[in-house]
Amino acid sequence: MNIRIEITDTNKPYAVIYTNKITPEVQQAVSLLDTKSELITANDDEKIVIIQPTEIYMIRIENSETIIYCESHKYRSKKRLYELLSLLGKDFMQISKSAVINLKQIDFVEPSFSGMMKLFLKNKQSEYISRKYLSEFKKYLGL
């Protein structure tokens, strides 16, 4: 792939891709360029930490607080669930009224009561997928 970078007077960077067909290489370039650059910040006691989206396993509302779960730590965020979801991009999916998960951190899923499913993440956290969000999740899995 040939790459050319030009410096212009525009405030925001933009990209144009010239191609005669969409190839996996072009799709990968678009995917890399399409990532959000918003910061995800959260509180860890008295500290404010910056969290990369790839570090996030799940975000859940607990006792009216937004909790961000990473591999071995959890952090409190002042943002609402829908605000964080809009910053995170395509690797995240809402699975209930109070939970968003990182699709790349799913370990396994098992059927549960009343037609629901329970999702287990690689960091040993688990959450139920509510029926409202189940059809979209099954579509993601190819079921």
Side-chain angles (χ1 to χ4, degrees), residues 85 89-97 99-101 103 106 109 115 117 119 129-143:
L85 184 58
K90 65 183 179 342
D91 290 335
F92 290 81
M93 179 184 287
Q94 188 162 0
I95 60 166
S96 71
K97 188 170 86 172
V100 168
I101 52 107
L103 296 166
I106 297 171
V109 181
M117 293 182 92
L119 178 132
I129 305 167
S130 72
R131 281 180 277 165
K132 178 180 177 181
Y133 298 92
L134 191 56
S135 65
E136 185 181 342
F137 184 75
K138 283 183 172 181
K139 221 185 291 182
Y140 168 75
L141 292 178
L143 301 175

Side-chain angles (χ1 to χ4, degrees), residues 59-116:
I59 304 168
R60 184 165 48 195
I61 304 299
E62 298 175 2
N63 300 323
S64 301
E65 282 191 313
T66 305
I67 308 296
I68 299 174
Y69 287 87
C70 295
E71 185 174 8
S72 58
H73 290 88
K74 64 181 184 177
Y75 306 97
R76 287 177 290 110
S77 174
K78 293 183 181 183
K79 290 189 165 103
R80 301 185 60 103
L81 193 65
Y82 73 89
E83 293 173 313
L84 289 169
L85 184 58
S86 72
L87 297 175
L88 291 170
K90 65 183 179 342
D91 290 335
F92 290 81
M93 179 184 287
Q94 188 162 0
I95 60 166
S96 71
K97 188 170 86 172
S98 60
V100 168
I101 52 107
N102 183 339
L103 296 166
K104 294 192 179 222
Q105 299 300 342
I106 297 171
D107 193 14
F108 63 94
V109 181
E110 64 184 26
S112 187
F113 59 91
S114 301
M116 293 176 68

